[in-house]
């Protein structure tokens, strides 16, 4: 890739991620979970093309936020206020650092969210870990839907093919007409030939 | 003398069958098949080594490992193909596959090692005169090989951008033959290898594999049931 094309892409990606994170904070204030899910989906295009870990991480963090806000039961846990406050603080820091082009700091801010989860305890920790795992699987399914192979997608999101296959099977991904690449009679003939030869 | 033959399995097919409790049917199919059921070492990692460390999938991985221990599944060394040769061919094919579609000047990384190693093994088997097909449940590799124009359209539709294509790369992928877990369960059903007896068994088998990740459409299933 020519150098200036790469720089242009990076600037475009930075702008895209900044917009998504800023809008996500605004959506959090209004508890608008639909908007949060939509914002998370907007990173899927770049996650599929660029396959950069930053887009993937932001997609997962924003989608997880929508799920956490949606399930009010989490607020009853003792650890909730501190966890939520730190989560949003990390998102704010990420915006500030990305804006100042401090990419390493930005990535640290995103990692802080994960570390915050590791410090939780008991059932609350399990619930939040589960939210993040499901967010990764959900985002993986979207990337797979965009045409990236199952194994490559699983690798990108850090999940297993087992998890992705199970989730993708419940969606309508395989019902898209373009995925039919051979008449079924012909494929069955191919299968029968190898078994009967 | 009968011609040597083999079915190469990608991770997805075995996972689909395992998650549906259909590995016994898989074993029955092998007994009827006068050839080899092969997996590459990259696929072995995805279906045995890695899931053995994850509690949720440990049982499935152990069951698949047993298939390997009992030689129902075999590694390519059983037909005299070294893993190092597969690795080299895999790297070569991977490089071409992932430099075929691009946006502006950025190549789209489409497929990964496990899927590509199946293509590499297929090519090596064909060179040795061993008839083979690849059983793969995910759709991208199959689309790249069988109908790249559909993959091109899918990428453009989903990514909302103009995707460019290096047409000269496609020739490397046009020679592979594919089946899926859906065709395997269909054959098993037709050969009476499924113990469960009920008029809806075929319907149940086909939808079961679909819902665990086999890329087959409802229309295809309905057509299969009518055949």
């Amino acid at each position: 890739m020519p150098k200036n094309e790469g720089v242009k892409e990076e600037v475009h990606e930075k702008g895209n991620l900044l917009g998504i994170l800023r809008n996500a904070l605004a959506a959090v204030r209004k508890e608008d979970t639909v908007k949060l899910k939509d914002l998370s989906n907007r990173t899927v295009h770049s996650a599929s093309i660029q396959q950069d870990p930053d887009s993937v991480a932001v997609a997962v963090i924003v989608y997880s936020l929508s799920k956490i806000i949606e399930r009010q039961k989490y607020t009853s846990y003792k650890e909730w206020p501190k966890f939520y406050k730190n989560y949003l603080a990390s998102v704010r820091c990420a915006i500030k650092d990305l804006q100042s082009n401090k990419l390493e700091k930005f990535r640290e801010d995103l990692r802080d969210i994960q570390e915050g989860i590791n410090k939780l305890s008991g059932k609350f920790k399990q619930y939040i870990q589960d939210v993040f795992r499901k967010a990764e699987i959900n985002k993986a399914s979207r990337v797979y839907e965009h045409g990236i192979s199952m194994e490559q997608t699983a690798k990108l999101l850090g999940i297993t093919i087992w998890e992705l296959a199970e989730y993708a099977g419940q969606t309508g991904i395989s019902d898209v007409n373009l995925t039919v690449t051979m008449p079924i009679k012909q494929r069955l003939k191919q299968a029968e030939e190898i078994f009967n030869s | 003398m009968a011609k040597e033959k083999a079915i190469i399995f990608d991770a997805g097919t075995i996972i689909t069958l395992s998650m549906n409790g259909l590995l016994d049917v898989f074993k029955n199919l092998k007994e009827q098949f006068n050839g080899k059921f092969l997996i590459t070492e990259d696929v072995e990692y995805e279906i045995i080594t890695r899931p053995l460390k994850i509690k949720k999938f440990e049982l499935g991985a152990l069951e698949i490992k047993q298939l390997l221990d009992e030689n129902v599944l075999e590694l390519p060394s059983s037909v005299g193909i070294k893993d190092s040769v597969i690795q080299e061919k895999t790297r070569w094919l991977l490089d071409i596959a992932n430099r075929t579609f691009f946006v502006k000047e950025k190549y789209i990384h489409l497929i990964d090692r496990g899927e590509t190693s199946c293509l590499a093994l297929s090519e090596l088997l064909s060179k040795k005169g061993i008839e083979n097909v690849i059983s793969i449940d995910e759709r991208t590799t199959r689309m790249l090989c069988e109908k790249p124009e559909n993959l091109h359209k899918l990428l453009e539709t989903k990514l909302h951008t103009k995707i460019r294509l290096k047409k000269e790369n496609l020739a490397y992928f046009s020679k592979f033959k594919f089946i899926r877990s859906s065709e395997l369960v269909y054959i098993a059903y037709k050969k009476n290898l499924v113990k469960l007896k009920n008029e809806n068994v075929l319907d149940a088998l086909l939808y079961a594999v679909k819902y665990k990740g086999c890329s087959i459409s409802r229309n295809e299933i309905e057509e299969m049931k009518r055949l």
Side-chain angles (χ1 to χ4, degrees), chain A residues 18 91-102 109:
Chain A
L18 262 177
V91 174
R92 279 188 207 101
C93 286
I95 292 172
K96 206 173 107 199
D97 289 327
L98 187 58
Q99 207 168 6
S100 325
N101 247 343
K102 293 176 185 163
D109 300 326

Side-chain angles (χ1 to χ4, degrees), chain B residues 139-153:
Chain B
R139 63 182 188 169
T140 306
T141 313
R142 175 170 53 79
M143 290 174 83
L144 171 70
C145 299
E146 289 185 340
K147 239 179 184 176
E149 64 273 25
N150 280 18
L151 183 57
H152 191 187
K153 269 187 219 160

Side-chain angles (χ1 to χ4, degrees), chain A residues 9-26:
Chain A
E9 280 300 332
E10 256 176 42
V11 171
H12 173 75
E13 272 319 300
K14 183 187 143 184
N16 189 28
L17 291 181
L18 262 177
I20 285 167
L21 287 171
R22 281 183 187 134
N23 284 320
L25 277 186

Side-chain angles (χ1 to χ4, degrees), chain A residues 11 20 59 119 143 182:
Chain A
V11 171
I20 285 167
K119 283 178 196 157
V143 171
M182 182 184 278

